[in-house]
Amino acid sequence: MVTTLRALRGRGTMGLTELAARAELSRPTVEGLAEELLSLGWLAEEPPETGRMGRPRRLFRFRAEAGHVLGVDIGAHSVRALVCDLEGRVVGRFSTRVRADSGRADRLNAVRDTAAAALEEAGAGAARVMAACVGTTGVVTAQGVVRLSVGLPEWTGIDLAAELAGDLGPVVLVENDTNLAALAEQWTGVAEGVQDLLFVLSGVRTGAGMLIRGEVHRGRRGMAGEIGALPLVGWHRAPSHLAGFGGLPAGTPPEEAAGLALSAARSGDPAARWAVEQYAHDLAEGIAALVLAMDPDLVVIGGGVSRSGDVLLEPIRRHLDPLCLEPPRLAVSTLGDQAVVLGALRHALNHVDAGLYDIDAPFPTPKDS
Amino acid sequence: MVTTLRALRGRGTMGLTELAARAELSRPTVEGLAEELLSLGWLAEEPPETGRMGRPRRLFRFRAEAGHVLGVDIGAHSVRALVCDLEGRVVGRFSTRVRADSGRADRLNAVRDTAAAALEEAGAGAARVMAACVGTTGVVTAQGVVRLSVGLPEWTGIDLAAELAGDLGPVVLVENDTNLAALAEQWTGVAEGVQDLLFVLSGVRTGAGMLIRGEVHRGRRGMAGEIGALPLVGWHRAPSHLAGFGGLPAGTPPEEAAGLALSAARSGDPAARWAVEQYAHDLAEGIAALVLAMDPDLVVIGGGVSRSGDVLLEPIRRHLDPLCLEPPRLAVSTLGDQAVVLGALRHALNHVDAGLYDIDAPFPTPKDS
C-alpha cells in the first residue's frame, strides 16, 4: 500500500496502468491495493474517462483533503499560522500582532487564537489536524521544551508541546525557528534541492539553522548554530549597529529600526551606510565561523533584513569572503517573514509522511472519515 | 544472499537453524543461498559437528580471508600502513620515517614502499586488496585530489587517487586525516556508538574532523572543520606556545617540542605550565566555535598531545566550558598515533561492505579465488 500511495502522491489523477508502472507492481495487484486505500479513505476515485474504446478507465487520486497540517511561527511581535492540506496547498492563514513584552500566558493565548482563526478559515477544526508544528526562538529540546530563550519574556523552560497539545491537535511538534526557516528554503525557497544548507536569520536578532544531508541538524542538545554565544565573533553586537543608527526618528520601535537604517543606506545616507558596513562586518564573522565549521552547499540570508538584500549582500560578501578558505555560495531569502511558518508546515507534513510511509507501523486513519 | 551474508558476518561459525533465524528466512531458502555463497567463495563450510543425534549439523562462516583492505596514514614525519582481513583483524603493518621537508616524489615512494611492506607481512599482494584508503592532511576533494595543504611540501594539487591507483590496488580512496581519525574513534576508540562526533587533532598542527549521524561530514568542498582559517579564534597560533616554550634544549625537532613542553608542565615547571595554559586557551577558542556550530555528542582530543591528556584536559575544559552555552562532553583519544591509519582501514572496509550489501549491484568477486 505504501508503494502505491507513494506512486500516486503529488501527481494528480492517475489510471491503473500508469500507477502499476510507477509502483513497479502488476496491474491486478495495484488495483487490489488501490481498492484497499479507497476503503481506508486515502484515495478517491474520479469519474472514469469516457469516449474511449474498451472498458472505462478507472482514475484515482490521493485524497489531499484526508487531513490538514498546521504551522505556527511564534515571533516577538507577531504570531502567524498557516493550514494546508496533505499536498501542501495552503487553505487557511491568520496572523496576530503581539507586544514584544507579552508574558507567557498572553503569548500562548495569541498562539491558540491565531491557530483557531487559521483553522476556521480552512473550514477545519483541531480534530482534523494530523500534525501541528510550532516554531519558536531559543534552544528547543527533542521533547519540545524551550530550554533557553533570550528573545521572549518568560519563555525559558516552557513546555510548548504540552501547553498546546489539546488546542492545536493530537501531535504538536516544537522546533527552533531558524531550523524551520532552513527547511522552508529547501522546500519552496532559494535552496530547492540543497542538501547542506546554512540559514542565517538576521534582523533584530541573529541566529542560524542548518540542514545536513537534507535534514535539520539540531545537535545533541538542540544547540547547533548558536555561534552567537561566542563573543570572539560579532553576532552579539551586530544588530546594535542598525538599531543604534543615529538618523532614526525618536521613538522608532526596535523592530523597525533595521529596515529604516537599510532604507537610508539605500538612499545614500553616509551614517546609515556606515551602520550597514559595521553590521555586515559583524554578521560576516559569525557566518564565516559556521561556513568554516560545516562547509555548506549554500548560505541563505533571511529574516527581517532579507527585504534589503540589494543593500546588504555586497558588503556581507566583501567581509565574508576573505574570512573563508573559498567564497561560499550566498543567496538572500525570498520568503521574507513567511519562512518560519512555511517551514513549520513542511515539518508537520514530513511527520505525516513518515507515518504514511512507515511500513512497520499501522496505517494511519484519515481525519475526515 | 545479502541478507544471509549480513546474518553471518562478524559472528563466527553458524549452523543453518541459527542462520535462518537471523536472516528471517526459511531453512531451505537459507541453505540454498549458503550453497550459492559457498560456490562464490564468500562462505566457507567447516567440518560438521559430530557426536550428536540425527544428521550432522552443517556449519558455515564468512570468509574474512576472501580479501584484504589497506589503510595508509601519510604524515609529515612518517608513513604508516595497516592491512586487515574483511572482519577487520590486522594481519600486516609497517611504518617508515620520512623527512618533514621531503618533496612529493620522495613521499609518494615512501607510501608505496610502506604499503608494499605491510602487504608482504600480510602475505598478500596488491591484487588481493579489495579497497585501500589513504589519509592525508589538507583539503581533499571527493575525487581524491589534495586541493590545499599547508602541512606537506609540494602537496597542494596532488591527485593521490591517480598517483597510487596501480600500486595500492584497484580502488584507492583518499580522505582527510582528521575525518579518518574521527571514524577510528567511533569504530574502536573512545567514541564507540557516538553519532555526532567532533575530533580535534592537536599537536604540531591543529585540525578537526567530524561525524554527523554516524558518517563523515566533509562539506561541499571537503572543507568542513577548517575553523583554523579564522584568525578570530586561536588555532593558528596555538601550536606556537608549545613549540616556542623556552625550556627546550637547543635543536629540539618541532615534532618533539610539544611532548617535551607537556612533560615539563607535568613536572611542575612554571614556564611550561604557562605555555600549556596558553595552548589550552587558544585550542579552546576553536573548539568552542565548532561546538557552538555543530553541538556534537562528544568532543575527542587526539593527535600528538593526546598522550598528555592528564596535563591538558583540565586546562582545556577550564577555557572551553565558559565559551559554550553548556559544557560539551570531552574525552582524550586512546588511539594515539594509530587513529588515522585505523580510520583509513575502517573507511576501506566500509567501501567493501557497501559493495557486498548493495542489492542493486553485481555481487563482488573474492580476491583470492
Side-chain angles (χ1 to χ4, degrees):
Chain A
M1 285 204 291
V2 167
T3 313
T4 308
L5 200 64
R6 271 185 184 271
L8 190 57
R9 186 97 182 272
R11 294 204 177 88
T13 299
M14 205 180 282
L16 284 170
T17 308
E18 186 184 352
L19 192 52
R22 286 201 181 271
E24 298 183 15
L25 294 167
S26 76
R27 212 184 121 106
T29 303
V30 147
E31 184 156 18
L33 293 167
E35 290 285 1
E36 205 169 333
L37 286 163
L38 263 178
S39 73
L40 285 171
W42 283 107
L43 296 197
E45 186 163 8
E46 300 287 297
E49 283 185 4
T50 52
R52 290 167 54 128
M53 303 281 282
R55 58 178 175 181
R57 184 165 163 253
R58 296 184 75 180
L59 292 174
F60 297 90
R61 67 172 176 83
F62 174 71
R63 290 191 65 241
E65 69 274 25
H68 288 100
V69 305
L70 168 68
V72 181
D73 169 18
I74 307 177
H77 304 284
S78 65
V79 175
R80 298 168 210 277
L82 289 179
V83 178
C84 73
D85 68 17
L86 298 184
E87 301 274 31
R89 276 181 298 260
V90 173
V91 292
R93 67 172 71 223
F94 203 80
S95 293
T96 311
R97 300 281 302 171
V98 288
R99 292 168 50 99
D101 60 359
S102 295
R104 182 183 289 205
D106 286 350
R107 201 173 297 272
L108 281 175
N109 281 333
V111 170
R112 293 186 186 102
D113 294 347
T114 310
L119 284 166
E120 195 181 327
E121 191 186 304
R128 276 185 51 82
V129 175
M130 297 197 70
C133 173
V134 175
T136 175
T137 176
V139 172
V140 179
T141 70
Q143 290 73 40
V145 176
V146 179
R147 189 157 165 171
L148 179 70
S149 168
V150 292
L152 302 178
E154 299 177 10
W155 212 242
T156 294
I158 189 170
D159 185 343
L160 276 175
E163 290 279 1
L164 298 169
D167 306 301
L168 268 51
V171 177
V172 178
L173 311 167
V174 185
E175 185 55 81
N176 172 270
D177 51 4
T178 56
N179 287 340
L180 293 177
L183 263 187
E185 296 294 343
Q186 185 200 40
W187 182 31
T188 185
V190 292
E192 272 187 69
V194 172
Q195 293 298 299
D196 290 355
L197 173 66
L198 175 63
F199 176 88
V200 177
L201 180 100
S202 51
V204 178
R205 61 199 176 82
T206 316
M210 57 181 82
L211 308 183
I212 297 201
R213 278 178 247 134
E215 288 179 32
V216 167
H217 177 69
R218 291 174 187 82
R220 177 179 178 80
R221 300 156 302 187
M223 292 180 178
E226 294 285 344
I227 198 72
L230 192 69
L232 298 166
V233 300
W235 277 15
H236 60 292
R237 62 179 178 255
S240 68
H241 298 298
L242 299 181
F245 160 58
L248 296 173
T252 303
E255 69 271 25
E256 290 172 21
L260 291 172
L262 288 159
S263 288
R266 187 182 292 110
S267 312
D269 180 297
R273 292 177 69 119
W274 177 243
V276 169
E277 195 68 21
Q278 296 297 99
Y279 178 70
H281 172 273
D282 288 349
L283 196 66
E285 287 187 351
I287 298 175
L290 293 171
V291 165
L292 288 166
M294 72 174 285
D295 190 16
D297 299 331
L298 177 68
V299 179
V300 174
I301 311 282
V305 305
S306 61
R307 286 186 302 270
S308 308
D310 58 321
V311 187
L312 258 180
L313 199 56
E314 184 276 326
I316 290 176
R317 196 185 290 280
R318 185 158 34 76
H319 289 288
L320 177 61
D321 288 357
L323 295 176
C324 301
L325 281 176
E326 287 185 13
R329 281 178 62 209
L330 201 60
V332 172
S333 172
T334 53
L335 300 178
D337 54 17
Q338 295 296 302
V340 177
V341 69
L342 283 168
L345 275 188
R346 183 66 254 174
H347 192 53
L349 279 170
N350 287 350
H351 180 86
V352 173
D353 286 2
L356 277 175
Y357 295 157
D358 181 356
I359 53 173
D360 294 325
F363 217 70
T365 309
K367 287 290 184 177
D368 63 342
S369 59
Chain B
M1 286 204 290
V2 167
T3 314
T4 308
L5 201 65
R6 270 186 186 270
L8 190 55
R9 186 98 181 271
R11 294 207 177 87
T13 300
M14 205 181 281
L16 284 170
T17 308
E18 185 183 356
L19 192 51
R22 286 201 181 272
E24 297 183 17
L25 293 167
S26 75
R27 212 185 122 105
T29 303
V30 148
E31 184 156 20
L33 293 168
E35 291 283 359
E36 205 169 334
L37 287 163
L38 263 178
S39 72
L40 285 171
W42 283 107
L43 296 196
E45 187 162 7
E46 301 286 296
E49 282 186 2
T50 52
R52 289 167 56 125
M53 303 281 282
R55 58 179 175 178
R57 184 166 164 252
R58 296 185 73 181
L59 292 174
F60 297 90
R61 65 172 177 84
F62 174 72
R63 289 191 64 242
E65 68 274 27
H68 287 102
V69 305
L70 168 68
V72 180
D73 170 16
I74 307 178
H77 304 283
S78 65
V79 175
R80 298 168 209 277
L82 289 178
V83 178
C84 73
D85 69 17
L86 297 184
E87 301 274 30
R89 276 182 297 260
V90 174
V91 292
R93 66 173 72 224
F94 203 80
S95 295
T96 311
R97 299 283 302 172
V98 288
R99 291 167 51 98
D101 59 0
S102 296
R104 184 184 287 205
D106 285 351
R107 201 172 298 272
L108 281 175
N109 282 331
V111 170
R112 293 186 186 102
D113 294 348
T114 310
L119 284 167
E120 195 181 328
E121 191 186 305
R128 278 185 49 82
V129 175
M130 297 198 70
C133 173
V134 174
T136 175
T137 175
V139 173
V140 179
T141 70
Q143 290 72 40
V145 175
V146 178
R147 189 159 167 168
L148 180 70
S149 168
V150 292
L152 301 178
E154 300 177 9
W155 213 242
T156 294
I158 190 170
D159 185 344
L160 275 175
E163 290 280 1
L164 297 170
D167 306 302
L168 268 52
V171 176
V172 178
L173 311 168
V174 184
E175 186 55 82
N176 171 270
D177 51 5
T178 54
N179 287 340
L180 293 177
L183 263 187
E185 295 295 343
Q186 186 201 39
W187 182 30
T188 184
V190 292
E192 271 187 70
V194 171
Q195 293 298 300
D196 292 355
L197 173 66
L198 175 63
F199 176 88
V200 178
L201 179 99
S202 51
V204 178
R205 61 201 176 81
T206 315
M210 58 181 80
L211 307 183
I212 304 265
R213 280 178 248 133
E215 288 179 31
V216 167
H217 177 67
R218 291 173 187 83
R220 177 180 179 79
R221 301 157 300 188
M223 293 180 178
E226 294 286 344
I227 198 73
L230 192 70
L232 298 166
V233 300
W235 278 14
H236 59 293
R237 63 179 178 256
S240 67
H241 298 298
L242 299 182
F245 160 57
L248 296 173
T252 303
E255 69 270 25
E256 289 173 21
L260 290 173
L262 288 158
S263 287
R266 187 181 290 110
S267 311
D269 179 294
R273 291 178 71 119
W274 178 244
V276 168
E277 196 68 18
Q278 295 298 97
Y279 178 71
H281 172 273
D282 288 347
L283 195 68
E285 287 187 352
I287 298 174
L290 293 172
V291 165
L292 289 166
M294 311 308 300
D295 190 17
D297 298 333
L298 177 68
V299 179
V300 174
I301 312 282
V305 305
S306 60
R307 285 185 303 269
S308 308
D310 57 320
V311 186
L312 259 179
L313 199 57
E314 184 277 327
I316 291 176
R317 195 185 292 280
R318 185 158 32 77
H319 289 287
L320 177 61
D321 288 357
L323 295 175
C324 301
L325 282 175
E326 287 185 11
R329 281 177 61 209
L330 200 61
V332 172
S333 171
T334 52
L335 301 178
D337 53 19
Q338 295 296 301
V340 177
V341 69
L342 283 168
L345 275 187
R346 184 65 254 172
H347 192 51
L349 280 171
N350 287 350
H351 180 85
V352 173
D353 286 2
L356 278 175
Y357 295 157
D358 181 356
I359 52 171
D360 294 325
F363 217 71
T365 309
K367 287 289 183 178
D368 64 342
S369 60

